[in-house]
Structure formats: C-alpha cells, structure tokens
Amino acid sequence: MERIEATIQRVTFRNEENLFTVVRLKVDGTKAEVTATGKFPTAKAGQLVVLMGEWTVHPTYGRQLAVAEVEYTEPKTKKGIEKYLASGIIPGIGPSKAKAIVEHFGTDALEVLDEDPSRLLEIKGFGDKMVRKIAKGLFEHKAVERIMVFLRGHGATQSDAIKIYKAYGERAIETIKENPYRLAAEIRGIGFKKSDAIASELGFRSNHPYRVMSGVSHFLMADSDEGHCYSDLDEFSLRVAGQLGVDENDVRKAAVSMDGGEVALEDGHRLFWAPLWYGERGVAKLMSKLTDTGLWKLEGPSEDEMAALGAECGLELADAQKAAVRAAMSNGVSILTGGPGTGKTTTIKAIIALYERRGSKVLLAAPTGRAAKRMSEATGKPAMTIHRLLEFQPREDGWRFAKDENNTIKCDALIVDEMSMVDIMLMYSLLKAVKPGTVLVLVGDVDQLPSVGPGNVLRDLIDSKTIATTELTEIFRQDSQSGIVTNAHRINEGEFPELWGKEDFRFVQKEEPAEVASAIIDLACRILPYKLGFDPVSQIQVLSPMRKGTAGVENLNLLLREKLNPQRKERPELKYGFTSFRRGDKVMQTSNNYDKLVWNGDMGIVTYVDAEEAELVVSFPDPEGDRSVKYAQQELDQLELAFCISIHKSQGSEYQAVVMPITTSHYMMLRRNLVYTGITRARSYVAIVGTKKAMAIAIRNASVAERRTRLAHRLREGDPEGV
C-alpha cells in the first residue's frame, strides 16, 4: 500500500449518499496530477490530504489511486490556504473573503482563525455581524470535523455530521457511543442501516435490545410508508427477524415490550405505530361527534332557495348535485365524490352560495398549496392549505398546530377538497380543531390514488357507510366532448380509451424506451409549446409511473433540464450528490420541513443561487402569494428536479398539459388507478407516449394495493375503549 501527500485540485465526482468520490490531486513535491477514487468524508478543492491506497489501471480513465484511508492536514502556503478557505469548507467564507484574509494574515491565516477569529475585524469590510457568523461557522466546523473523524468508515456524510451536532451539541460522540440507534429515531436522513453500521463497529451484538427495538421501529415505519396503519404481529416478527438475523421471539418480545410507548398492540396481533393507533381511534370518535345531528338543528334547502340559487348565481343543478347540496346542508358530515366533468366544483359553489345566503361563515381548505390554489380559482373564494388553516407552528422541540380542541376553527361550515390525499394523521389533527356543530363537507375522487401518508381515509369513510355520501357519475354536456374526461371515465370503467380523434388527447406509439424518452422531450419542449402556446416549465408537466429506467423520472428530468435550462456561465450551480441545482430549475420538496414550512410534494422554481455563501432560494407558489425559501448546500438532499415527477407526486395538482409515458418497462406499476390519476391531472391536453399493449395491461389491472387500516371498522362498530 502506497502513501502519498497531495492537494485536492478539483472534485470530479461525489456521491453524498455513500461518500464515493473522484478527485484530481497534485502530489506534493511534484508537478504531477493524479486521479484518486474512494470514500472521502469531505472533499473540497484546496484540502491537503494524506492518502493510503493501491494503484490501479481503469480501462477508460487510466492510472488511478484506489484509496483505502484518508487523513486531512492543513495547507502551508498562501496559495494553498486561500484555495482551502475559498472552497466553502468554513461557513461564511467564500472566495472573496478567503483572498482578503490571506492577503492580511498571510501564512498565519489558519492559526489566527483557530485562536482568535475576532482579529478578522482588522480587515477592511469585515464587520461585527460578519465576524460573529464566521466565528460560529468555525466552531461548528471543528465540532463537525470531530464527529466526521469518529464516524469515519460508517457512511456518514458531512450533512449527517452537521445534523448530529445540531441535535446533540458537544455531547454528540458520547451520545452515539451510549446508543447509536438514537440516530435513526432522532436525526432525519440517518436511518436504521447507518445507525446499525455504527453500532456494529462499536461492538453492539446483533440481538442487543437497542438494536431489535430500533429494528421494530424501522420496519414498522417502513410499513407505514407503504400506506399501512398496522402490521400483523406474527408476519411482522418473522419478516423482521429475517431482516435482522435474529430469532423471531426476540422481535416479538421487543414489539410487546414497546406496547404502550412507541407502538400499540391491539387484540394481541395488530401492531401499530402508536400515533397511527391514536389517530385512527381519534378520527372515529370525532367523526361520531360531528355526525351527531342532535348537537344542532340543520335544515336542508327549500325549493325557493334552490330556485333563487339558479336565478342569482346561474347555477343550474342536476338531480344528483341537488342531492349533494341537500346532504351538505342536512348532515354534520357529508361526502361528495365523483370523477372529472361530473360537476363537483359547481356543487361546491352551490353549497357555498346557500350557506352564505343564510349568513353562515364558510371556509375552504385542501391538503396542498397547489390544490388550495386550484380550489380558490375554481370557486372564486379564498382557500388555504389544511396546515395553514390549523395554524402550523414550528418549535425547537418539533412542531404543533395552534388550532386544536382548545382553540377550534371559527366557521359554520368547512369544505375540504382533494380528500383522497389526506392521510390519517392529518385527518385527526383537522377533526380535533373542528368544533361540534360545524358542518364538514369532504370532497374528492375516491378512484384517485390514495394518500402518500398512511391510511385510506376517504375510501374508509365511504366504505363505513356511516357518512352521508353522494357520488356524481353524469358527465355534463360541456365536458362530454373532452377526450380527457371521456377517456378518464372509460379507463376507470375498465374500457380502452379512444386514442385518436380527440383534440385534447394524443397517443404516440413508440416501442423502445429510448424512442419513448425522445418523443416525450420533443412533445414537452417543442411541439406542445409551439402548438398550444403553453410554457414548457410552468404549464406542461411530464409524469412517469416509475423513477428508474430510460423513461423514468430520474432520466427524463436530466434530459428535460438540458433542453429547458441548460448550464451556462451566468447560471451558478450548487451540487449535492449526483444532482446540481441552478437558477431556473423546477424542483420539488421531498420531505416535510417544519422549520421552512414546506411539505413533501411542494414544487417551486430556483430563483437565486449564491455559490459564495453555498445557498440557494426556491420560490414556491401559495394561494396567498409566492414564498421564497432559502436552502443551505447541506440541505439540498431535501430537493429534487421536477421537470418530470412521479404520478403519485402529482396528486392534488392540475396542469394545462400532461405528457406521460406508458410502456411495458413500467410493468410493475401499471394499474388502472395510476393511469386514471395521471390523465385527470391535465386541464387542457394529455399526450401519452408508449404502446397500446402497456395501456391494456394497466386498464386490466384494477387491483388496488391493499392498505391495512381499521378506520372503517371503528366507524361501523364503534370503539368501546374510547381515546
């Protein structure tokens, strides 16, 4: 094994997930540049490194050093120090500040920063606020470096180390030694696998109670990520034992011991993550209160009121719509469901108008900002997200809703749209804040994909047969000629769509995945913008059933960006892992961020990139005006490109045009409700690229992935234990 001392000249490639890095190095004492590959805890231009490794010959890239060990030292020359500081390794110091520091302190710059950063005030242009920021960055940098050294070889990234430091402070390493599995439970982005690798290195045995209990939590949460509210204890214990390499009884004992804490065991065999157990029971109990018509006096609309509605508002209703209006005005809770073109929006407008005629205060809400904005545009009334309605408040110890059973929503009637997107926990939070006596109208298309989060709330409410439900099925005359509407209904009924002869629906026959991808790029970037005048970024959305593959989300994103927002000198970039972000990029938030008040699935545009400060700004649309949100470089794992998104992620959204691949390579995801959901996201135009065979497979597959829930049962049978 060879030892070399070198300076990193540039980082050619870096994967932040596994730390695999390719760098160009200048070997000390020579003019030679060499390539090195391996796992680098950090990699910045200007860093001095001592590497241990073996020389290899790559068939394409030639001679490389395969690195086994990495140590870091500080540069000694003025040029090296400036490059090191300019790399952004210390928060608050970029290229211009690095140059000023080295010009003033010379080769003593790093020593000054280490011992007395207040001396930066000697430099012209460095004020108190700036110096305090740099001093704080230095302190945190040293702490993070210590954590990185401790976690070396465990796959922990610099971003992970920063999160660990922010969570545990100076006790970070001590905390990890005591129980590394706390990382999985308490640090976002550090899952069970990383925690388990660290624990193994620290000598924790495979059946250590901390490990088995952490495994129970991990796999139970993984089940909830699939939409389930509970798991069967026998099946779960057997499956998790195999995953952990322990005895089935170890898992069972751990799960039972956690009952009453992190998990809830119901009837001896249903294993719930505790919040979901409380959530289901709470929704059932609160629904029972809201549907108790003895709490208030409700009167359905008179014939005179219905006639006045038509005369004053121009809202002529079909019989089924009238039935929905009467249900909404005669029941504490009612459900309105139906597919596209069946008049749900007109019915909502009628309900609003009649309540307002009676002097009642009506509020409108939806699960996402995009859905709320759609609702507002359709009704002409203000709408807000459920989170805003509940007055979401981030806190140091997490978050809370200001609206709850002690501080209820002030209105007479509340209408919630896109209910298929609402998971069990959000529903529980909403119902806690709805005062008994308030009329609740729930609107959604039950045939859409279920919520991303656990539960199947809308379906369960309907299946319980305890809530007054009206289903609209008639397609109105103005929509009957629409290819989008008619084909959506044909697909939902198991019939093959009319692929040709519709002005707003186009099918492009392509067999090979590369041809499919090429056709999609052409449609989204050239044909539809030219033919229909739609903006390719803001008005056209590419949807794909799967993430991987030639016609998957990840590849299509790269192809679309190169057409719509190519790299240019005037567009600085920030890199994270395999992805770079530049001004003008369409991006999506991939997890809930309670501090920034952005949610999983929110989409926006990168409006500003500051390479000096290593941060960028994303503008997110909002019913009350666009919001600008700042991200530091280490937070970019929360974003992904969104020129193309998955059909699942498109729920609750509406776009002028949708372009969608449907190919046999998507076989595992081809389901009727998936294609139906994708088509119904389009307002004006749908273009599908693929094969008729793939469409036929999807339409025939009417199976809906089963979700293990107990809400319908609790609503029908009651919950004798209460909540």
Side-chain angles (χ1 to χ4, degrees), residues 13 33 51 105 132 146 150 200 224 249 264 286 291 317 347 381 401 412 439 486 508 529 557 570 633 660 691:
F13 172 80
E33 278 198 10
L51 305 176
F105 296 113
R132 283 197 301 272
R146 288 194 294 272
F150 176 70
S200 179
S224 75
N249 285 326
L286 294 169
T291 55
L317 304 180
T347 307
K381 301 288 183 179
F401 289 121
D412 300 298
V439 173
T486 57
V508 180
N557 257 319
E570 66 271 19
Q633 189 167 19
M660 187 167 58
T691 64

PDB file of all heavy atoms in Angstrom, residues 13 33 51 105 132 146 150 200 224 249 264 286 291 317 347 381 401 412 439 486 508 529 557 570 633 660 691:
ATOM      1  N   PHE A  13     -16.194  13.993  -9.193  1.00  0.00           N
ATOM      2  CA  PHE A  13     -17.478  13.344  -8.915  1.00  0.00           C
ATOM      3  C   PHE A  13     -17.572  13.080  -7.427  1.00  0.00           C
ATOM      4  O   PHE A  13     -16.583  12.781  -6.769  1.00  0.00           O
ATOM      5  CB  PHE A  13     -17.590  12.014  -9.670  1.00  0.00           C
ATOM      6  CG  PHE A  13     -18.803  11.206  -9.289  1.00  0.00           C
ATOM      7  CD1 PHE A  13     -20.039  11.502  -9.826  1.00  0.00           C
ATOM      8  CD2 PHE A  13     -18.718  10.181  -8.360  1.00  0.00           C
ATOM      9  CE1 PHE A  13     -21.166  10.777  -9.459  1.00  0.00           C
ATOM     10  CE2 PHE A  13     -19.840   9.455  -7.989  1.00  0.00           C
ATOM     11  CZ  PHE A  13     -21.069   9.757  -8.551  1.00  0.00           C
ATOM     12  N   GLU A  33      -0.238  15.632 -11.651  1.00  0.00           N
ATOM     13  CA  GLU A  33      -1.617  15.499 -11.204  1.00  0.00           C
ATOM     14  C   GLU A  33      -2.059  14.060 -11.393  1.00  0.00           C
ATOM     15  O   GLU A  33      -1.780  13.462 -12.433  1.00  0.00           O
ATOM     16  CB  GLU A  33      -2.557  16.436 -11.960  1.00  0.00           C
ATOM     17  CG  GLU A  33      -2.583  17.852 -11.442  1.00  0.00           C
ATOM     18  CD  GLU A  33      -3.802  18.637 -11.892  1.00  0.00           C
ATOM     19  OE1 GLU A  33      -4.736  18.036 -12.461  1.00  0.00           O
ATOM     20  OE2 GLU A  33      -3.825  19.860 -11.671  1.00  0.00           O
ATOM     21  N   LEU A  51      -3.008  10.123   1.791  1.00  0.00           N
ATOM     22  CA  LEU A  51      -3.788   9.002   1.295  1.00  0.00           C
ATOM     23  C   LEU A  51      -2.984   7.704   1.346  1.00  0.00           C
ATOM     24  O   LEU A  51      -1.794   7.685   1.044  1.00  0.00           O
ATOM     25  CB  LEU A  51      -4.240   9.258  -0.143  1.00  0.00           C
ATOM     26  CG  LEU A  51      -5.022  10.551  -0.404  1.00  0.00           C
ATOM     27  CD1 LEU A  51      -5.306  10.704  -1.887  1.00  0.00           C
ATOM     28  CD2 LEU A  51      -6.307  10.571   0.408  1.00  0.00           C
ATOM     29  N   PHE A 105      -3.305  38.274   6.614  1.00  0.00           N
ATOM     30  CA  PHE A 105      -2.591  37.474   7.613  1.00  0.00           C
ATOM     31  C   PHE A 105      -1.536  36.544   7.024  1.00  0.00           C
ATOM     32  O   PHE A 105      -0.752  35.954   7.770  1.00  0.00           O
ATOM     33  CB  PHE A 105      -3.579  36.641   8.437  1.00  0.00           C
ATOM     34  CG  PHE A 105      -4.530  37.447   9.267  1.00  0.00           C
ATOM     35  CD1 PHE A 105      -5.896  37.452   8.977  1.00  0.00           C
ATOM     36  CD2 PHE A 105      -4.080  38.219  10.330  1.00  0.00           C
ATOM     37  CE1 PHE A 105      -6.785  38.200   9.735  1.00  0.00           C
ATOM     38  CE2 PHE A 105      -4.970  38.968  11.096  1.00  0.00           C
ATOM     39  CZ  PHE A 105      -6.320  38.967  10.799  1.00  0.00           C
ATOM     40  N   ARG A 132     -18.866  37.505  13.647  1.00  0.00           N
ATOM     41  CA  ARG A 132     -19.586  36.588  14.547  1.00  0.00           C
ATOM     42  C   ARG A 132     -20.083  35.369  13.778  1.00  0.00           C
ATOM     43  O   ARG A 132     -20.023  34.237  14.265  1.00  0.00           O
ATOM     44  CB  ARG A 132     -20.753  37.306  15.226  1.00  0.00           C
ATOM     45  CG  ARG A 132     -20.356  38.224  16.367  1.00  0.00           C
ATOM     46  CD  ARG A 132     -21.552  38.558  17.251  1.00  0.00           C
ATOM     47  NE  ARG A 132     -22.623  39.205  16.516  1.00  0.00           N
ATOM     48  CZ  ARG A 132     -22.728  40.516  16.322  1.00  0.00           C
ATOM     49  NH1 ARG A 132     -21.813  41.338  16.829  1.00  0.00           N
ATOM     50  NH2 ARG A 132     -23.750  41.031  15.658  1.00  0.00           N
ATOM     51  N   ARG A 146     -14.777  16.667  14.169  1.00  0.00           N
ATOM     52  CA  ARG A 146     -14.560  15.639  15.195  1.00  0.00           C
ATOM     53  C   ARG A 146     -15.555  14.489  15.024  1.00  0.00           C
ATOM     54  O   ARG A 146     -15.202  13.318  15.155  1.00  0.00           O
ATOM     55  CB  ARG A 146     -14.665  16.244  16.595  1.00  0.00           C
ATOM     56  CG  ARG A 146     -13.511  17.141  16.987  1.00  0.00           C
ATOM     57  CD  ARG A 146     -13.494  17.422  18.474  1.00  0.00           C
ATOM     58  NE  ARG A 146     -14.642  18.197  18.897  1.00  0.00           N
ATOM     59  CZ  ARG A 146     -14.679  19.536  18.894  1.00  0.00           C
ATOM     60  NH1 ARG A 146     -13.636  20.230  18.486  1.00  0.00           N
ATOM     61  NH2 ARG A 146     -15.761  20.162  19.318  1.00  0.00           N
ATOM     62  N   PHE A 150     -14.848  10.550  13.994  1.00  0.00           N
ATOM     63  CA  PHE A 150     -15.386   9.458  14.797  1.00  0.00           C
ATOM     64  C   PHE A 150     -16.199   8.483  13.953  1.00  0.00           C
ATOM     65  O   PHE A 150     -16.150   7.273  14.153  1.00  0.00           O
ATOM     66  CB  PHE A 150     -16.245  10.018  15.935  1.00  0.00           C
ATOM     67  CG  PHE A 150     -16.931   8.969  16.763  1.00  0.00           C
ATOM     68  CD1 PHE A 150     -16.208   8.145  17.605  1.00  0.00           C
ATOM     69  CD2 PHE A 150     -18.307   8.791  16.683  1.00  0.00           C
ATOM     70  CE1 PHE A 150     -16.843   7.170  18.361  1.00  0.00           C
ATOM     71  CE2 PHE A 150     -18.944   7.836  17.436  1.00  0.00           C
ATOM     72  CZ  PHE A 150     -18.208   7.012  18.274  1.00  0.00           C
ATOM     73  N   SER A 200     -22.460  -1.672  15.023  1.00  0.00           N
ATOM     74  CA  SER A 200     -21.648  -2.872  14.812  1.00  0.00           C
ATOM     75  C   SER A 200     -20.174  -2.576  15.065  1.00  0.00           C
ATOM     76  O   SER A 200     -19.475  -3.372  15.710  1.00  0.00           O
ATOM     77  CB  SER A 200     -21.861  -3.392  13.389  1.00  0.00           C
ATOM     78  OG  SER A 200     -21.070  -4.528  13.136  1.00  0.00           O
ATOM     79  N   SER A 224     -45.633   1.757   7.345  1.00  0.00           N
ATOM     80  CA  SER A 224     -46.480   2.955   7.271  1.00  0.00           C
ATOM     81  C   SER A 224     -46.164   3.771   6.025  1.00  0.00           C
ATOM     82  O   SER A 224     -47.063   4.406   5.451  1.00  0.00           O
ATOM     83  CB  SER A 224     -46.325   3.812   8.536  1.00  0.00           C
ATOM     84  OG  SER A 224     -45.108   4.517   8.559  1.00  0.00           O
ATOM     85  N   ASN A 249     -38.542 -14.766  18.180  1.00  0.00           N
ATOM     86  CA  ASN A 249     -39.022 -14.425  19.517  1.00  0.00           C
ATOM     87  C   ASN A 249     -38.398 -13.132  20.046  1.00  0.00           C
ATOM     88  O   ASN A 249     -39.023 -12.433  20.840  1.00  0.00           O
ATOM     89  CB  ASN A 249     -38.750 -15.567  20.492  1.00  0.00           C
ATOM     90  CG  ASN A 249     -39.705 -16.734  20.283  1.00  0.00           C
ATOM     91  OD1 ASN A 249     -40.868 -16.533  19.933  1.00  0.00           O
ATOM     92  ND2 ASN A 249     -39.219 -17.959  20.491  1.00  0.00           N
ATOM     93  N   ALA A 264     -48.369   0.307  19.628  1.00  0.00           N
ATOM     94  CA  ALA A 264     -49.596  -0.125  20.292  1.00  0.00           C
ATOM     95  C   ALA A 264     -49.982  -1.484  19.734  1.00  0.00           C
ATOM     96  O   ALA A 264     -50.027  -1.670  18.515  1.00  0.00           O
ATOM     97  CB  ALA A 264     -50.722   0.886  20.077  1.00  0.00           C
ATOM     98  N   LEU A 286     -64.194  11.345  16.824  1.00  0.00           N
ATOM     99  CA  LEU A 286     -64.563  12.717  16.475  1.00  0.00           C
ATOM    100  C   LEU A 286     -65.582  12.747  15.346  1.00  0.00           C
ATOM    101  O   LEU A 286     -66.455  13.620  15.312  1.00  0.00           O
ATOM    102  CB  LEU A 286     -63.305  13.516  16.116  1.00  0.00           C
ATOM    103  CG  LEU A 286     -62.340  13.728  17.295  1.00  0.00           C
ATOM    104  CD1 LEU A 286     -61.001  14.274  16.806  1.00  0.00           C
ATOM    105  CD2 LEU A 286     -62.947  14.673  18.329  1.00  0.00           C
ATOM    106  N   THR A 291     -71.108  13.843  13.380  1.00  0.00           N
ATOM    107  CA  THR A 291     -72.294  13.353  12.675  1.00  0.00           C
ATOM    108  C   THR A 291     -73.521  13.271  13.578  1.00  0.00           C
ATOM    109  O   THR A 291     -74.617  12.934  13.115  1.00  0.00           O
ATOM    110  CB  THR A 291     -72.023  11.964  12.070  1.00  0.00           C
ATOM    111  OG1 THR A 291     -71.575  11.072  13.087  1.00  0.00           O
ATOM    112  CG2 THR A 291     -70.988  12.039  10.957  1.00  0.00           C
ATOM    113  N   LEU A 317     -78.580  22.986 -11.322  1.00  0.00           N
ATOM    114  CA  LEU A 317     -78.051  21.734 -10.819  1.00  0.00           C
ATOM    115  C   LEU A 317     -78.851  20.540 -11.308  1.00  0.00           C
ATOM    116  O   LEU A 317     -80.075  20.595 -11.424  1.00  0.00           O
ATOM    117  CB  LEU A 317     -78.054  21.741  -9.290  1.00  0.00           C
ATOM    118  CG  LEU A 317     -77.319  22.890  -8.595  1.00  0.00           C
ATOM    119  CD1 LEU A 317     -77.430  22.737  -7.078  1.00  0.00           C
ATOM    120  CD2 LEU A 317     -75.861  22.946  -9.014  1.00  0.00           C
ATOM    121  N   THR A 347     -71.171  22.022  -7.713  1.00  0.00           N
ATOM    122  CA  THR A 347     -71.875  21.650  -6.487  1.00  0.00           C
ATOM    123  C   THR A 347     -71.284  22.368  -5.276  1.00  0.00           C
ATOM    124  O   THR A 347     -72.020  22.850  -4.406  1.00  0.00           O
ATOM    125  CB  THR A 347     -71.823  20.130  -6.285  1.00  0.00           C
ATOM    126  OG1 THR A 347     -72.288  19.472  -7.471  1.00  0.00           O
ATOM    127  CG2 THR A 347     -72.689  19.709  -5.117  1.00  0.00           C
ATOM    128  N   LYS A 381     -63.441  31.841  -4.392  1.00  0.00           N
ATOM    129  CA  LYS A 381     -63.377  32.122  -2.962  1.00  0.00           C
ATOM    130  C   LYS A 381     -61.982  31.769  -2.438  1.00  0.00           C
ATOM    131  O   LYS A 381     -61.316  30.889  -2.964  1.00  0.00           O
ATOM    132  CB  LYS A 381     -64.423  31.298  -2.198  1.00  0.00           C
ATOM    133  CG  LYS A 381     -65.864  31.536  -2.643  1.00  0.00           C
ATOM    134  CD  LYS A 381     -66.371  32.905  -2.206  1.00  0.00           C
ATOM    135  CE  LYS A 381     -67.840  33.094  -2.602  1.00  0.00           C
ATOM    136  NZ  LYS A 381     -68.356  34.432  -2.156  1.00  0.00           N
ATOM    137  N   PHE A 401     -49.840  22.297  15.964  1.00  0.00           N
ATOM    138  CA  PHE A 401     -50.906  23.093  15.376  1.00  0.00           C
ATOM    139  C   PHE A 401     -51.519  23.958  16.464  1.00  0.00           C
ATOM    140  O   PHE A 401     -51.909  23.446  17.521  1.00  0.00           O
ATOM    141  CB  PHE A 401     -51.983  22.203  14.753  1.00  0.00           C
ATOM    142  CG  PHE A 401     -51.566  21.505  13.494  1.00  0.00           C
ATOM    143  CD1 PHE A 401     -51.593  20.114  13.396  1.00  0.00           C
ATOM    144  CD2 PHE A 401     -51.156  22.231  12.386  1.00  0.00           C
ATOM    145  CE1 PHE A 401     -51.223  19.469  12.230  1.00  0.00           C
ATOM    146  CE2 PHE A 401     -50.779  21.586  11.213  1.00  0.00           C
ATOM    147  CZ  PHE A 401     -50.812  20.209  11.142  1.00  0.00           C
ATOM    148  N   ASP A 412     -68.844  28.235  10.330  1.00  0.00           N
ATOM    149  CA  ASP A 412     -70.079  27.463  10.402  1.00  0.00           C
ATOM    150  C   ASP A 412     -70.023  26.217   9.524  1.00  0.00           C
ATOM    151  O   ASP A 412     -70.663  25.208   9.814  1.00  0.00           O
ATOM    152  CB  ASP A 412     -71.267  28.333   9.986  1.00  0.00           C
ATOM    153  CG  ASP A 412     -71.430  29.554  10.882  1.00  0.00           C
ATOM    154  OD1 ASP A 412     -71.656  29.367  12.094  1.00  0.00           O
ATOM    155  OD2 ASP A 412     -71.297  30.692  10.362  1.00  0.00           O
ATOM    156  N   VAL A 439     -70.458  22.294  10.232  1.00  0.00           N
ATOM    157  CA  VAL A 439     -70.745  21.380   9.129  1.00  0.00           C
ATOM    158  C   VAL A 439     -69.455  21.097   8.367  1.00  0.00           C
ATOM    159  O   VAL A 439     -68.707  22.015   8.023  1.00  0.00           O
ATOM    160  CB  VAL A 439     -71.805  21.977   8.188  1.00  0.00           C
ATOM    161  CG1 VAL A 439     -71.969  21.101   6.947  1.00  0.00           C
ATOM    162  CG2 VAL A 439     -73.143  22.107   8.908  1.00  0.00           C
ATOM    163  N   THR A 486     -63.724  11.974 -21.116  1.00  0.00           N
ATOM    164  CA  THR A 486     -64.331  10.717 -21.559  1.00  0.00           C
ATOM    165  C   THR A 486     -63.364   9.548 -21.414  1.00  0.00           C
ATOM    166  O   THR A 486     -63.760   8.457 -20.989  1.00  0.00           O
ATOM    167  CB  THR A 486     -64.815  10.827 -23.012  1.00  0.00           C
ATOM    168  OG1 THR A 486     -63.718  11.203 -23.861  1.00  0.00           O
ATOM    169  CG2 THR A 486     -65.928  11.862 -23.135  1.00  0.00           C
ATOM    170  N   VAL A 508     -49.052   8.651 -28.825  1.00  0.00           N
ATOM    171  CA  VAL A 508     -47.908   8.480 -29.717  1.00  0.00           C
ATOM    172  C   VAL A 508     -47.359   7.076 -29.513  1.00  0.00           C
ATOM    173  O   VAL A 508     -46.881   6.734 -28.427  1.00  0.00           O
ATOM    174  CB  VAL A 508     -46.824   9.536 -29.442  1.00  0.00           C
ATOM    175  CG1 VAL A 508     -45.639   9.328 -30.381  1.00  0.00           C
ATOM    176  CG2 VAL A 508     -47.388  10.941 -29.597  1.00  0.00           C
ATOM    177  N   PRO A 529     -45.436  23.422 -26.685  1.00  0.00           N
ATOM    178  CA  PRO A 529     -45.282  24.879 -26.558  1.00  0.00           C
ATOM    179  C   PRO A 529     -45.602  25.609 -27.858  1.00  0.00           C
ATOM    180  O   PRO A 529     -46.229  26.678 -27.835  1.00  0.00           O
ATOM    181  CB  PRO A 529     -43.810  25.049 -26.162  1.00  0.00           C
ATOM    182  CG  PRO A 529     -43.464  23.763 -25.475  1.00  0.00           C
ATOM    183  CD  PRO A 529     -44.229  22.717 -26.208  1.00  0.00           C
ATOM    184  N   ASN A 557     -35.849  13.732 -16.137  1.00  0.00           N
ATOM    185  CA  ASN A 557     -35.502  15.016 -15.526  1.00  0.00           C
ATOM    186  C   ASN A 557     -34.216  15.586 -16.121  1.00  0.00           C
ATOM    187  O   ASN A 557     -34.135  16.777 -16.433  1.00  0.00           O
ATOM    188  CB  ASN A 557     -35.349  14.869 -14.013  1.00  0.00           C
ATOM    189  CG  ASN A 557     -36.567  15.400 -13.263  1.00  0.00           C
ATOM    190  OD1 ASN A 557     -37.121  16.437 -13.620  1.00  0.00           O
ATOM    191  ND2 ASN A 557     -36.953  14.704 -12.218  1.00  0.00           N
ATOM    192  N   GLU A 570     -23.452  32.167 -16.797  1.00  0.00           N
ATOM    193  CA  GLU A 570     -24.154  33.129 -15.944  1.00  0.00           C
ATOM    194  C   GLU A 570     -25.106  32.453 -14.965  1.00  0.00           C
ATOM    195  O   GLU A 570     -25.795  33.138 -14.193  1.00  0.00           O
ATOM    196  CB  GLU A 570     -24.920  34.151 -16.792  1.00  0.00           C
ATOM    197  CG  GLU A 570     -26.074  33.568 -17.617  1.00  0.00           C
ATOM    198  CD  GLU A 570     -25.664  33.093 -18.997  1.00  0.00           C
ATOM    199  OE1 GLU A 570     -24.451  32.874 -19.206  1.00  0.00           O
ATOM    200  OE2 GLU A 570     -26.550  32.969 -19.864  1.00  0.00           O
ATOM    201  N   GLN A 633     -26.376  24.491   1.335  1.00  0.00           N
ATOM    202  CA  GLN A 633     -25.943  23.390   0.475  1.00  0.00           C
ATOM    203  C   GLN A 633     -26.204  22.030   1.117  1.00  0.00           C
ATOM    204  O   GLN A 633     -26.634  21.087   0.441  1.00  0.00           O
ATOM    205  CB  GLN A 633     -24.470  23.531   0.121  1.00  0.00           C
ATOM    206  CG  GLN A 633     -24.000  22.540  -0.939  1.00  0.00           C
ATOM    207  CD  GLN A 633     -22.635  22.906  -1.491  1.00  0.00           C
ATOM    208  OE1 GLN A 633     -21.872  23.663  -0.876  1.00  0.00           O
ATOM    209  NE2 GLN A 633     -22.302  22.406  -2.666  1.00  0.00           N
ATOM    210  N   MET A 660     -47.019  11.864 -20.654  1.00  0.00           N
ATOM    211  CA  MET A 660     -46.850  10.699 -19.787  1.00  0.00           C
ATOM    212  C   MET A 660     -46.438   9.468 -20.583  1.00  0.00           C
ATOM    213  O   MET A 660     -47.103   9.122 -21.554  1.00  0.00           O
ATOM    214  CB  MET A 660     -48.163  10.441 -19.046  1.00  0.00           C
ATOM    215  CG  MET A 660     -48.164   9.389 -17.994  1.00  0.00           C
ATOM    216  SD  MET A 660     -49.666   9.473 -16.948  1.00  0.00           S
ATOM    217  CE  MET A 660     -50.964   9.276 -18.186  1.00  0.00           C
ATOM    218  N   THR A 691     -47.130   2.208 -25.706  1.00  0.00           N
ATOM    219  CA  THR A 691     -47.738   1.156 -26.508  1.00  0.00           C
ATOM    220  C   THR A 691     -49.158   0.871 -26.042  1.00  0.00           C
ATOM    221  O   THR A 691     -49.486   1.006 -24.867  1.00  0.00           O
ATOM    222  CB  THR A 691     -46.916  -0.144 -26.423  1.00  0.00           C
ATOM    223  OG1 THR A 691     -46.933  -0.640 -25.074  1.00  0.00           O
ATOM    224  CG2 THR A 691     -45.471   0.091 -26.841  1.00  0.00           C
TER     225      THR A 691
END
